[in-house]
Amino acid sequence: MAEIDGNNVLVRSLKEQGVEYVFGITGFPVIELSMAFQVHGIHYIGMRNEQAACYAAQAMGYLTGKPAACMVVSGPGLLHCTAGMANAQINCWPLLVIGGSTAQDHVGIGGFQECNQVELSRPYCKYSAQPASVDLIPQHVESAVRLAKCGRPGVSYLDFPANLLQKTVLEETIPKQYVVDNYPLTFPDPKDIHDAAKLISNAKRPLVIIGKGAAYARAEGDVQELISVTNLPILATPMGKGVVSDLSPNSVAPARSLALSQADVVLLLGARLNWILHFGRSPRYASNVKVIQIDVCAEELHNSVKSAVAIQSDLKPAVRQLTAALRQNGYQFHNTSEWWATLKKKCLQNETGVKALVQDTSAPLNYYTVFHHLQEILPPDCIIVSEGANTMDIGRSMLPNALPRHRLDAGTFGTMGVGPGFAIAAALWCRQHAPDKRVVCVEGDSAFGFSGMEIETMVRYRLPVLIVIVNNSGIYSGLDQDTYKDLRDVNPATQSLPPTSLSFATKYENMMCLFGRNGYFCQTIPEMQNAVKESFNVTDGPSIVNVIISPSADRKPQQFNWLTSSKL
């Protein structure tokens, strides 16, 4: 009778449950496992760091709606991965992490990389388990994939001791697991929809906030229909951008602070009242604002503030029913209203305030002129990956998205280092689903330092990612060349260089020389635009465009802060 080992049982089970991509770093005890993925037709992408592998896997889960896997070795390999696990869990993205672990007969006596991995993973997971035997592997894989996808998506961790992966059993003893293809939708209570429609109809200053939950739910068609029927003003969270195009006349993003502080009714679609939305509290919001909250997770309802209408439901059916109720009532929020006039006036004022920065193309450059002239030549349907402090925050307003799931950034957890991993996943998704679409990874120089060696992964797998580094020689801000040299030469420099400073105008583009390719060092707008245009002709690997800006470049004066500080 035929025999099969734990590695092949695991891979067959993953394929059975629809897992197509595995990102990871191979080593003991998962070397044979990584090879088995390829034998069974699963895409295995070898990364350079476990964190980046985990970021790539979760981004693939967000883009496809089903979990990809991250494979890591025991001990340090899994511990490196926990940052990515936490990021996926807090972002509510589906992810499966597979960890090799110490052989069971070595536990407790100092086994190689011995670590209590199941318990260490549990705080960052919906599901964390170690199969007790080879024949139980399919059951645990089914549970892990199902829990990662259903309800509010999140992370599952499966732990595989070396002896379990290597053990052989009779193939006929391995049960075939069922596959759940259609997860049931949660529909809203009709009374809640009626109450929400009534509240919106009576509002004088309504506002719709669209979050990345709407993007993940593939609810863009329903949300666009709602806005078309009602003509309500909208704001998008960073990764909610593109569910309704940023170029829509209903977008009041330039008037964000005013819209939040003066709205009397706020409709939340796939967004949470966390720090990104200032917790829904005064003074960022009116003290008497009424919140309509739609969330698939009952525990999220009334979180931070008490909602006037709290609707537990999947987003698509709830939005459809709300649209139908408002349409039936003949509701439309007229452009001639005082609220629309106030919002449009503020949008115009803030857009005018940015123009001077956009038009200033003198060296050293500023963020706004770089982003404006970059946006001029980017394809309108490109996927934009972004991370950094000012690079990411300013880029949110200056680099518009017309399509959903076309912006990936640090997200709810504010994690730095996600950019290259996200970009790798996006490029692989494009290769399979949209070969002509391009991925543009816009990085601060500090952020790029976290995962920059993943450019080797991009070269190895021929992924045409354009990396634009907006280089201000620091974290938040850097030092000009003379000041940097003077302070660096002081002994000891550890007490003279500011904690936010990095080396002045580091030539990150020279990393492309490691692979016999050339990068671009840019100090003017024409240099940057020419470099970007040339980079788009490269289709067999990444390009780096290193744009030097003023170390003191910052946001425009009095720009609305994202983070509400505690006053305790």
Side-chain angles (χ1 to χ4, degrees):
M1 292 184 181
E3 291 188 332
I4 187 170
D5 66 10
N7 287 304
N8 283 282
V9 172
L10 172 55
V11 175
R12 285 200 331 194
S13 301
L14 290 168
K15 190 164 185 178
E16 198 172 74
Q17 297 298 329
V19 174
E20 298 181 32
Y21 287 90
V22 177
F23 302 82
I25 297 180
T26 194
F28 181 81
V30 291
I31 297 172
E32 292 82 3
L33 178 61
S34 62
M35 297 176 181
F37 288 129
Q38 295 177 321
V39 170
H40 288 271
I42 291 178
H43 298 286
Y44 176 78
I45 299 91
M47 305 284 284
R48 299 304 302 267
N49 179 278
E50 289 91 353
Q51 285 188 29
C54 199
Y55 298 142
Q58 65 194 256
M60 186 63 80
Y62 173 66
L63 291 169
T64 63
K66 59 183 180 181
C70 174
M71 184 204 74
V72 296
V73 302
S74 50
L78 177 71
L79 290 172
H80 289 170
C81 185
T82 53
M85 295 166 71
N87 189 71
Q89 184 74 354
I90 290 172
N91 264 353
C92 308
W93 288 357
L95 168 69
L96 173 61
V97 177
I98 298 167
S101 62
T102 306
Q104 289 162 314
D105 57 329
H106 291 176
V107 171
I109 57 173
F112 176 66
Q113 295 182 332
E114 181 181 345
C115 186
N116 191 351
Q117 296 174 185
V118 174
E119 290 305 313
L120 283 170
S121 300
R122 205 175 298 281
Y124 315 109
C125 294
K126 294 177 69 178
Y127 183 79
S128 181
Q130 181 189 97
S133 60
V134 174
D135 62 294
L136 288 175
I137 289 174
Q139 174 186 320
H140 282 282
V141 169
E142 188 283 325
S143 296
V145 171
R146 176 165 45 82
L147 267 68
K149 289 172 64 175
C150 71
R152 172 171 282 178
V155 183
S156 291
Y157 172 69
L158 291 178
D159 191 72
F160 292 95
N163 60 302
L164 187 68
L165 292 173
Q166 296 162 5
K167 185 176 180 180
T168 60
V169 297
L170 293 176
E171 192 163 357
E172 64 179 18
T173 65
I174 304 301
K176 184 176 174 64
Q177 261 311 315
Y178 54 82
V179 178
V180 180
D181 293 320
N182 296 312
Y183 294 93
L185 289 177
T186 302
F187 279 73
D189 185 328
K191 181 183 181 302
D192 291 337
I193 294 296
H194 174 269
D195 292 346
K198 182 178 179 180
L199 201 57
I200 292 169
S201 298
N202 292 330
K204 296 188 184 307
R205 297 181 303 280
L207 179 67
V208 179
I209 298 179
I210 303 169
K212 70 173 177 288
Y216 179 80
R218 274 66 180 166
E220 55 268 19
D222 300 294
V223 174
Q224 291 164 16
E225 177 72 6
L226 171 67
I227 302 307
S228 174
V229 167
T230 62
N231 194 42
L232 290 167
I234 60 172
L235 283 176
T237 65
M239 278 186 278
K241 285 160 56 69
V243 171
V244 175
S245 172
D246 289 340
L247 304 178
S248 165
N250 293 82
S251 174
V252 294
R256 183 182 191 275
S257 58
L258 182 144
L260 292 177
S261 64
Q262 295 190 18
D264 61 354
V265 172
V266 171
L267 172 61
L268 291 176
L269 301 180
R272 292 172 286 175
L273 291 176
N274 54 23
W275 67 273
I276 290 178
L277 290 175
H278 313 289
F279 315 108
R281 299 177 182 176
S282 177
R284 302 299 194 192
Y285 293 75
S287 58
N288 61 346
V289 65
K290 293 179 174 60
V291 175
I292 302 168
Q293 189 178 12
I294 303 174
D295 203 288
V296 71
C297 180
E299 290 83 354
E300 185 64 35
L301 300 176
H302 305 295
N303 189 36
S304 184
V305 299
K306 188 177 188 302
S307 297
V309 183
I311 305 172
Q312 184 190 4
S313 174
D314 280 279
L315 197 62
K316 293 178 77 170
V319 172
R320 286 175 187 171
Q321 292 186 24
L322 182 59
T323 302
L326 291 166
R327 179 186 277 123
Q328 185 176 5
N329 295 338
Y331 173 80
Q332 188 174 69
F333 195 67
H334 296 293
N335 280 324
T336 56
S337 69
E338 183 181 347
W339 180 229
W340 261 123
T342 301
L343 291 170
K344 289 177 179 177
K345 180 180 178 181
K346 189 63 175 178
C347 284
L348 184 62
Q349 288 176 351
N350 286 346
E351 288 166 351
T352 301
V354 172
K355 282 185 178 178
L357 292 167
V358 166
Q359 293 168 354
D360 179 10
T361 59
S362 60
L365 301 170
N366 68 72
Y367 285 105
Y368 292 88
T369 195
V370 167
F371 286 133
H372 173 77
H373 291 91
L374 175 62
Q375 188 271 333
E376 284 185 327
I377 56 175
L378 290 183
D381 67 340
C382 66
I383 295 178
I384 297 173
V385 179
S386 186
E387 63 171 331
N390 290 336
T391 299
M392 181 175 63
D393 292 345
I394 298 172
R396 285 167 173 159
S397 60
M398 298 297 293
L399 298 175
N401 292 96
L403 298 170
R405 298 173 297 282
H406 279 57
R407 180 181 176 88
L408 301 168
D409 70 17
T412 310
F413 210 32
T415 305
M416 292 295 103
V418 297
F422 282 7
I424 286 168
L428 288 165
W429 181 90
C430 289
R431 176 177 289 174
Q432 183 176 359
H433 299 282
D436 295 330
K437 195 181 291 289
R438 297 304 297 263
V439 177
V440 180
C441 186
V442 185
E443 298 272 302
D445 51 324
S446 170
F448 180 71
F450 283 82
S451 304
M453 271 313 298
E454 295 301 334
I455 61 170
E456 188 275 330
T457 308
M458 299 176 191
V459 170
R460 189 167 9 111
Y461 293 106
R462 301 166 64 88
L463 300 175
V465 176
L466 168 58
I467 300 171
V468 179
I469 300 173
V470 185
N471 188 346
N472 72 342
S473 305
I475 305 169
Y476 302 111
S477 62
L479 300 172
D480 64 79
Q481 187 171 15
D482 291 338
T483 304
Y484 169 75
K485 184 178 184 304
D486 290 344
L487 293 178
R488 185 196 59 185
D489 291 344
V490 172
N491 190 17
T494 52
Q495 293 181 334
S496 58
L497 282 172
T500 59
S501 65
L502 299 172
S503 298
F504 179 78
T506 300
K507 294 195 171 183
Y508 297 104
E509 78 284 352
N510 284 343
M511 292 176 71
M512 294 307 303
C513 297
L514 298 171
F515 315 102
R517 301 172 182 232
N518 295 318
Y520 301 88
F521 183 84
C522 307
Q523 295 177 289
T524 68
I525 292 301
E527 288 175 345
M528 180 192 74
Q529 288 195 329
N530 288 335
V532 169
K533 290 175 182 176
E534 289 182 22
S535 295
F536 279 137
N537 293 323
V538 179
T539 59
D540 65 344
S543 302
I544 295 180
V545 176
N546 185 17
V547 185
I548 306 302
I549 67 170
S550 169
S552 59
D554 205 346
R555 306 179 187 193
K556 68 183 179 70
Q558 299 179 337
Q559 182 164 338
F560 188 76
N561 290 323
W562 279 85
L563 183 60
T564 302
S565 299
S566 172
K567 303 300 180 185
L568 296 178

